[in-house]
Amino acid sequence: MSHTQQHPDDAQQGVDVVRLDHHAVYAKDRSLSAEFIAAVLGLEVGPPFGPFLPVDLGNGVTLDYYELRDAPVQSQHYAFLVPDTQFDTMIARLRALDVTYYADPRHTEPGRINRLFGGRGAYFLDPDGHNMEIMTRPYARPR
């Protein structure tokens, strides 16, 4: 969801819980990076919003790609909970893009996936070196 859209539940009243709305993702080339993650996840890049190029994740959260022209991009980690039915397609897209994926966040197991928490997952780098993760089950966190 870009900054110009409003979640239907938020009309007039605001929200009653804390919810992530958007996150700025720094990139050397905002178009290249936004198109890359959109291609892997099967999403679309939205129209520019000021200096941002949004990728709507479909859950009320937008990744707003922002170009850093005069500074290095610091690598970050982004984890995406994806439907199990789409996981194999996403792995196939990574292969088609000639992007190596890994079973672990340190990238020591190339071409493999993990099976954490009864699901499947993989890590890969985007064009700016951000460590991206796709997973079909959320992490089981202690309560």
Side-chain angles (χ1 to χ4, degrees):
M1 171 181 309
S2 72
H3 298 283
T4 58
Q5 296 174 323
Q6 189 174 29
H7 192 278
D9 296 339
D10 300 343
Q12 307 298 322
Q13 303 248 16
V15 296
D16 58 358
V17 296
V18 175
R19 181 175 66 216
L20 182 64
D21 180 75
H22 64 276
H23 180 76
V25 180
Y26 296 131
K28 283 296 180 190
D29 179 332
R30 71 180 188 171
S31 294
L32 176 69
S33 294
E35 291 290 344
F36 171 81
I37 200 62
V40 171
L41 299 178
L43 303 172
E44 294 183 15
V45 176
F49 179 73
F52 302 102
L53 194 57
V55 176
D56 184 343
L57 300 179
N59 64 347
V61 178
T62 303
L63 296 181
D64 289 333
Y65 281 84
Y66 178 81
E67 282 186 17
L68 275 183
R69 294 186 182 109
D70 300 324
V73 174
Q74 188 78 311
S75 178
Q76 300 291 318
H77 174 65
Y78 297 89
F80 302 95
L81 187 60
V82 302
D84 189 66
T85 57
Q86 295 181 27
F87 185 83
D88 291 332
T89 301
M90 291 177 189
I91 292 295
R93 290 178 186 138
L94 289 169
R95 287 185 185 128
L97 292 167
D98 202 26
V99 174
T100 303
Y101 59 91
Y102 304 84
D104 63 306
R106 291 188 174 178
H107 298 191
T108 63
E109 299 179 58
R112 298 185 59 199
I113 65 167
N114 66 58
R115 297 199 175 271
L116 297 173
F117 309 107
R120 298 181 293 163
Y123 297 82
F124 56 95
L125 294 178
D126 85 339
D128 292 291
H130 294 303
N131 194 15
M132 304 299 203
E133 177 182 7
I134 53 174
M135 58 188 187
T136 62
R137 295 281 171 88
Y139 291 163
R141 302 187 196 299
R143 297 193 181 258

